[in-house]
Amino acid sequence: MKNIMILTMVLCLFLCCGHIVDAKNLTFGQLPMPQYNITTTPGPAGLTGLYAMSVGFVNSVFVPFTDVTDILLDMLDATGNGILANAIKLLTLNLIYTVCMGFGVLFIVLVVLGGFFMCCCRSCWGNCGGEYVQSLARAESKWRAFMTAALTIFSILMIVPCVFVFLTNDWLGVITKTAPDTLKLSLDNLLVYADNVPRQINYTTGEFSQVNNTIISQLDSIDTTLGIPIRDRFRVMAKPTITQLNFVDEVLNTTVTAGNESKALVNTLKNGSSSLQAELGTVTTNIKADLGSDTNCNAVAACQLLVAEVDSDLQLNTNIDNINVTDLDAVINDLAEFDAQAEIVHINDELDDIPQIVANDSGNVTQDMTQELKDIELELKSMSEAISPKMLDNLHDGVRDFQSTIDTVYTDYVSEYEWWRSIVCLVAAGVIMLICVFYLLGILMGHRSYNPHPEERGKTSNAGGKLLMIGAGLSLISAWVFMMVVMAMFTVGGHAERYGCQAVRTPYEGFEFADKVLEKQNFEIKLYDVVTSCEEDQALFLTLSLDKTYDLEEIAKNITRDVQNSTGKLKDMTINLTSIEVYNTKTEQDLNDMKATGVENMDLLKIGRDAESGLNSVDLVAYSQKLKDAATAVNSCTPPTCTNATATAAKLNGFADDIDAIESSRKEPMSQQVTDLNARLTIIVNRTTNINATVDETKRVLSEFDAAIQDVGPVQVSEQLQVMGDDMEQTVDTYLVWSMKQIRDNIGACRSVYDLVYSQWVTTGCTEFVNTLGGLWFSLGWCLFFIMPSAIFALKLAKFYVRGETVGSDG
C-alpha cells in the first residue's frame, strides 16, 4: 500500500510539472500496452444444458449466499459452543440440503437391506422374488406390456445420463491436465500487467520530456515559432500589393511577349511577300511566253484579255514591305525595364527579416522561460527515479513460488487422485450401462420367444428373464455405493457452486463478505471495489480509490495560474519593425517611367491593316478561276477558227493549277500570319489602354502597405504575442486533460487483469471444474433416480419370461 501511495504521488507531481507545449503541433501518443499470452480451451459441446440443470438444482437446494453471511461472520467471531450453534443455524437454514442428505442415507439403508433380504431369500429358501409360478390369465394380461414399456423407458432414461457421465468424466480429466498450465499462464499475464505499469509511467514521463524539449526548442528558435507567424500575418496584409504587382507583371509580360511575336510576324510576312511576288513573276512570264503567240488563245477573246492583264492581276503592292515597327519596338523596350517580380521578391525579403528581428528583441524572455522548464524537468526526473523496483521483484518472487506450488500440488496429489477418480467414474458409468444393456437385452430375448404358458417357455425367453434378474441384482449391489459417491460430490460441488463460484461472480457477494471480514482487520482496500473497477477497466488511480486522497482538479487550477504568470512575460514583449521598407524612391521612379512611353496614343493596329491590305492586293483565287474559264472557252472553239484547242486549254488549266498551288503554299499561310499579327496587336492595345491608371494603382497599394507596416505593424505584433500566449495556456489545458486522463483512465487500467487472471481462475475453477463436477454428480443422481424403480420392474417382468409352472392364480 505504501508503494502504491508513492507511485501515485509521483504521478501527481508529474502532472503538476507540465507547463507549455504547442497543442497545434504536438500530439500525445497512446500508453504502451502489454502483450499478453492468450490461450483458449474449447468447452465440451452439448453439456451446457446439463450444467444449467445441475446449477438450477443447487440453487433450489441451497439458500443464497447473502442469507448466510451474517451467520458466517458470527461464526468467525465465535468460539467453542458458539461455532457449533452457528453451524446448526446453517444446517437449519439449508433445510432442503439436510433433507437431501437424509434421503440419501435412507436410500443407502433401504437398498442395502433390500439387497440383503433378496440374497438371503434366494440363498436360503430359493424364494427370491416369489415362486416362479404364474396363472395363464396373469400371463396373458396387459401387465407384461406395461412393465416392458416402463422398463424400456427407464433404461433409456438411465442411458442418457450414463452417456453424460462418460462425457463429463472425460472432460474433467482434460480440465485437470490443462488447469495447471492455464493458471500459471494467467499468473504470467499478471506479471506482464505489473511490469507494464512502470513502463506506462515512464512513457508518460517521456512524453513530458518530449514536450519540454519541444518547448525549449521553440523558445530557442523563437524566430520560427513567433517570428514566422508574425511574418505570415504581414504576408496576408501584403496580398493586395502582391496581387497588384502580379497583375502589372502579367500585363508587362503579355505586352512584351505579344510585341516580340508581332515583330517576328512582320519580318516573316516581309520575307513571305518577296517569295510570293517572285513565284507570281515566274507564272506571269510563262503565261506571256506560252499563250502570247498561241493562235488558239488569240482566237478567243477571254484568253486574249487574260494575257493582256496578267501583269496587273499578279502584282503585289508594297504595303507589307513598307511596314514600320520602330514605335512598337520602343514601347516593348520601355515596358521591359520594370521588373514587377523583383519588387515582389524585395517585399518578401523585407518580410523575411521579421523572424530575426523577433529573435533579437526576445532574447531575455526566452532564456528565462527555458531555464524554468529545465528546472522542472530535472525535478521530475529525480522524483521518477526514486521509485523502487523492490515491489515488482517481490511480486515476481511470490508469483514464481505460487506457480511452483501449483506444479507440486498437481504432481504429488492431483495427478494420483485424478486417476482413481477417473476409474471410479468409469466403473460407475460402466456398471449402469451394463445394467441397462441387461434390461434391454432381457426384454428383447424374452419378448422374442415369449409364451404365456410358463412351462412351455423356451431357452431364449428364460435367458431373457435371467438377464433381467441379473440387472436388478447389480442395481441392488451398486446403487448404495453410487449414492455415497453422489452425496460426496454433491456436498463438495454444491457448496462450491452456491457459496464459492456464485459468490465470486456478479454481483460479487463473496467480495462484499470478504470486505466485512477484512474491515475488522483495518484493511483499507475494498476487494469489491477493486473487482468491479477492473471489470469496468478503470485505472489504478480509481481502482484503489486514490481520487479520495488527491484532488486533481485543484492541482490543475494551480498549474493554470502558474502558467498564466509565465505567459504574461511573453505577452508584454515589444518588437521594433521600423527597419522594414517595401516602397522606395527607385520603385517609384521605375513606375513613373512606364507612364512616359506614350503607348496609349499609338495606333498599333495600323501595322495589321497594312499587312492585310498588301496581301489582299492580289486575288489568286479569282485569277485561277479566270484561267479555268478561258480554258473552257478555248476548248469550245472549233475549226477552222481553232486547231488543236485542247492543247491550249490544257496549258490554261496547268497555269490555274500553278496559281492554286501558290495560293495554298504561300498566300494562305501568310493570311494566317496576318491573323496572328492582328491578334497580338490587339492584345498589346488591350493591355496598354489603361497603363497609366494601372501604374497609379500600383503606387497607391505599395505606399499604403509600407505605411501599414509602420502604423498597424506594432498592433499586429502585439496581437500575435497575445495569440501565442493564449495558445500556450490552451495547450497547458489540453496537456492537463491528457495527463489526468492517463491517471484516471489509462495507467494501470486493469480490465486485462480481470479478463486474463481473475476471470481465467473463475473460468477454470467454476465454469470448467465445478460445473463439470456438477454435471457428473447430477448425471449419476439422475441414474440413481431411476435405478430402483427399474430393478422392481425388472424383477416383476422376469416372471413373464422365466420358465415356471402354471397355476390357477399367481403365487
Side-chain angles (χ1 to χ4, degrees):
M1 187 63 186
K2 181 179 179 181
N3 290 329
I4 294 175
M5 293 298 182
I6 294 176
L7 174 62
T8 305
M9 285 189 289
V10 171
L11 290 175
C12 292
L13 177 62
F14 158 71
L15 182 62
C16 295
C17 292
H19 273 253
I20 301 172
V21 62
D22 187 357
K24 296 180 180 178
N25 299 323
L26 186 66
T27 58
F28 307 109
Q30 298 295 323
L31 294 180
M33 302 306 294
Q35 297 296 323
Y36 295 105
N37 298 315
I38 302 176
T39 58
T40 57
T41 303
L47 295 181
T48 54
L50 177 66
Y51 297 161
M53 288 190 291
S54 67
V55 172
F57 183 78
V58 167
N59 291 341
S60 65
V61 171
F62 296 94
V63 297
F65 184 77
T66 53
D67 293 349
V68 301
T69 53
D70 292 338
I71 299 176
L72 293 176
L73 289 173
D74 293 341
M75 185 179 290
L76 292 174
D77 295 334
T79 58
N81 294 331
I83 296 177
L84 180 60
N86 285 306
I88 294 173
K89 289 181 181 179
L90 287 176
L91 290 176
T92 303
L93 194 60
N94 283 301
L95 181 60
I96 299 178
Y97 168 74
T98 306
V99 171
C100 289
M101 291 297 102
F103 173 79
V105 173
L106 181 61
F107 180 89
I108 293 172
V109 172
L110 293 178
V111 170
V112 171
L113 290 177
F116 175 75
F117 289 129
M118 176 184 173
C119 292
C120 287
C121 291
R122 185 64 180 167
S123 300
C124 300
W125 297 285
N127 201 26
C128 180
E131 296 180 358
Y132 293 123
V133 295
Q134 195 174 36
S135 68
L136 187 59
R138 175 77 172 182
E140 293 178 346
S141 68
K142 300 298 183 181
W143 282 107
R144 182 180 69 87
F146 168 73
M147 286 184 286
T148 298
L151 184 58
T152 301
I153 294 173
F154 287 170
S155 298
I156 294 174
L157 291 176
M158 285 193 294
I159 289 175
V160 173
C162 189
V163 173
F164 287 153
V165 171
F166 281 112
L167 293 176
T168 52
N169 179 64
D170 179 70
W171 181 242
L172 198 59
V174 173
I175 294 172
T176 305
K177 292 179 182 179
T178 59
D181 291 335
T182 301
L183 297 179
K184 288 192 295 181
L185 181 62
S186 68
L187 293 175
D188 288 336
N189 287 328
L190 176 62
L191 293 180
V192 171
Y193 166 81
D195 291 339
N196 189 65
V197 172
R199 282 199 293 269
Q200 290 181 334
I201 297 174
N202 292 334
Y203 177 82
T204 309
T205 305
E207 284 291 278
F208 174 77
S209 298
Q210 176 190 351
V211 170
N212 193 27
N213 293 335
T214 302
I215 296 171
I216 292 176
S217 175
Q218 291 174 343
L219 291 175
D220 289 341
S221 58
I222 196 170
D223 55 336
T224 300
T225 58
L226 180 60
I228 288 180
I230 295 175
R231 179 203 65 189
D232 293 341
R233 291 290 295 272
F234 284 120
R235 280 186 173 174
V236 174
M237 295 173 57
K239 282 184 177 180
T241 304
I242 300 298
T243 300
Q244 180 63 25
L245 288 173
N246 282 325
F247 172 72
V248 171
D249 184 65
E250 192 268 338
V251 169
L252 296 179
N253 287 337
T254 303
T255 302
V256 171
T257 301
N260 290 327
E261 291 175 351
S262 298
K263 292 193 297 182
L265 287 171
V266 168
N267 292 331
T268 302
L269 286 172
K270 288 182 177 181
N271 294 331
S273 176
S274 299
S275 299
L276 176 61
Q277 186 59 61
E279 292 182 10
L280 292 177
T282 300
V283 173
T284 300
T285 301
N286 292 336
I287 288 175
K288 290 179 178 181
D290 291 348
L291 299 177
S293 58
D294 191 300
T295 57
N296 292 327
C297 181
N298 292 328
V300 178
C303 185
Q304 265 185 327
L305 181 63
L306 185 147
V307 173
E309 295 177 351
V310 65
D311 289 325
S312 60
D313 287 344
L314 297 182
Q315 179 64 45
L316 289 171
N317 63 29
T318 60
N319 287 355
I320 294 178
D321 294 333
N322 295 330
I323 293 176
N324 188 352
V325 294
T326 303
D327 293 339
L328 175 63
D329 192 44
V331 169
I332 293 172
N333 292 334
D334 290 339
L335 294 179
E337 291 181 358
F338 182 75
D339 191 350
Q341 288 299 321
E343 293 300 323
I344 295 175
V345 171
H346 170 70
I347 292 174
N348 287 327
D349 288 342
E350 289 292 312
L351 296 181
D352 285 339
D353 291 338
I354 291 177
Q356 187 59 47
I357 296 173
V358 171
N360 295 337
D361 292 348
S362 61
N364 294 333
V365 174
T366 58
Q367 290 178 3
D368 293 343
M369 296 181 69
T370 298
Q371 186 60 47
E372 180 182 358
L373 289 171
K374 289 181 178 179
D375 293 341
I376 293 172
E377 184 177 9
L378 290 175
E379 184 179 3
L380 174 63
K381 185 176 181 181
S382 64
M383 289 301 299
S384 177
E385 294 174 350
I387 301 177
S388 172
K390 185 177 180 181
M391 179 175 63
L392 286 178
D393 293 339
N394 292 338
L395 179 61
H396 274 266
D397 294 339
V399 169
R400 298 306 178 200
D401 291 341
F402 189 55
Q403 289 176 328
S404 299
T405 302
I406 292 175
D407 288 332
T408 301
V409 170
Y410 179 78
T411 302
D412 296 345
Y413 302 100
V414 176
S415 58
E416 179 180 355
Y417 292 115
E418 170 61 19
W419 185 86
W420 286 106
R421 179 206 59 76
S422 178
I423 293 300
V424 169
C425 292
L426 288 175
V427 169
V431 170
I432 296 173
M433 185 65 74
L434 184 61
I435 292 172
C436 294
V437 170
F438 283 164
Y439 286 162
L440 296 176
L441 188 59
I443 292 172
L444 181 62
M445 294 174 66
H447 180 74
R448 183 175 180 79
S449 59
Y450 172 70
N451 194 316
H453 300 282
E455 64 275 2
E456 296 178 5
R457 292 170 183 166
K459 293 181 179 181
T460 303
S461 178
N462 188 62
K466 296 297 184 182
L467 287 176
L468 292 175
M469 295 178 64
I470 293 173
L474 285 176
S475 298
L476 292 172
I477 293 172
S478 60
W480 67 275
V481 179
F482 294 160
M483 178 57 74
M484 293 178 63
V485 174
V486 170
M487 291 173 63
M489 289 194 297
F490 173 66
T491 300
V492 175
H495 283 87
E497 169 63 31
R498 189 61 161 165
Y499 301 128
C501 294
Q502 294 185 20
V504 296
R505 293 193 180 107
T506 307
Y508 308 114
E509 298 163 347
F511 290 107
E512 291 181 320
F513 171 76
D515 287 336
K516 294 178 181 179
V517 176
L518 294 176
E519 187 178 1
K520 298 178 181 180
Q521 308 297 325
N522 296 324
F523 194 75
E524 297 180 359
I525 297 178
K526 300 294 184 182
L527 297 181
Y528 175 83
D529 293 340
V530 172
V531 174
T532 54
S533 296
C534 287
E535 184 180 19
E536 297 172 359
D537 199 25
Q538 293 186 0
L540 280 178
F541 187 79
L542 296 180
T543 299
L544 302 178
S545 300
L546 298 177
D547 55 323
K548 299 177 182 178
T549 305
Y550 301 97
D551 188 353
L552 297 182
E553 296 297 334
E554 184 63 28
I555 295 174
K557 291 180 181 179
N558 294 334
I559 296 172
T560 301
R561 183 181 60 252
D562 294 339
V563 169
Q564 289 174 348
N565 293 334
S566 299
T567 56
K569 300 177 182 178
L570 186 66
K571 295 178 180 180
D572 293 338
M573 282 196 312
T574 57
I575 306 297
N576 187 0
L577 301 177
T578 56
S579 60
I580 298 177
E581 183 182 35
V582 297
Y583 185 48
N584 51 37
T585 56
K586 180 181 181 304
T587 302
E588 184 178 10
Q589 182 60 46
D590 290 341
L591 289 171
N592 289 331
D593 291 341
M594 291 176 59
K595 298 174 64 175
T597 59
V599 66
E600 291 183 346
N601 300 319
M602 295 181 182
D603 186 9
L604 297 178
L605 295 180
K606 182 177 183 300
I607 297 175
R609 292 195 300 272
D610 291 343
E612 188 172 1
S613 64
L615 184 62
N616 292 334
S617 62
V618 175
D619 190 350
L620 297 182
V621 174
Y623 193 76
S624 174
Q625 187 61 43
K626 288 172 66 175
L627 288 170
K628 293 176 183 178
D629 293 341
T632 301
V634 170
N635 201 35
S636 301
C637 182
T638 58
T641 305
C642 298
T643 58
N644 196 13
T646 302
T648 303
K651 291 179 182 179
L652 289 169
N653 286 325
F655 288 128
D657 291 339
D658 293 340
I659 294 299
D660 289 340
I662 295 172
E663 170 72 20
S664 61
S665 64
R666 288 294 182 184
K667 188 177 179 182
E668 288 182 0
M670 290 179 67
S671 296
Q672 182 61 45
Q673 292 167 2
V674 170
T675 301
D676 293 342
L677 175 62
N678 285 325
R680 277 19 176 222
L681 293 172
T682 301
I683 291 174
I684 296 173
V685 171
N686 291 339
R687 287 299 187 181
T688 57
T689 298
N690 298 314
I691 189 67
N692 291 340
T694 301
V695 171
D696 292 337
E697 176 65 16
T698 304
K699 292 169 61 178
R700 184 188 67 78
V701 295
L702 282 171
S703 178
E704 288 180 357
F705 179 56
D706 189 66
I709 291 177
Q710 308 305 324
D711 298 337
V712 185
V715 177
Q716 295 288 336
V717 171
S718 177
E719 290 179 356
Q720 191 62 35
L721 289 172
Q722 294 292 326
V723 170
M724 185 175 185
D726 293 339
D727 284 345
M728 289 182 178
E729 294 172 6
Q730 181 183 0
T731 298
V732 171
D733 292 337
T734 303
Y735 184 72
L736 289 177
V737 170
W738 179 84
S739 300
M740 287 189 288
K741 180 176 177 58
Q742 308 315 308
I743 296 175
R744 287 198 181 103
D745 300 336
N746 294 333
I747 294 181
C750 53
R751 176 70 193 198
S752 56
V753 176
Y754 179 87
D755 290 336
L756 301 178
V757 182
Y758 175 76
S759 293
Q760 185 61 64
W761 278 74
V762 173
T763 299
T764 301
C766 296
T767 305
E768 295 180 351
F769 185 79
V770 174
N771 277 1
T772 306
L773 182 64
L776 185 59
W777 63 254
F778 187 81
S779 299
L780 283 175
W782 184 348
C783 293
L784 292 177
F785 185 81
F786 295 103
I787 196 169
M788 293 315 299
S790 299
I792 294 173
F793 280 115
L795 289 175
K796 289 294 184 181
L797 188 59
K799 282 189 176 185
F800 287 88
Y801 298 140
V802 176
R803 188 181 296 116
E805 299 177 2
T806 303
V807 295
S809 60
D810 288 340

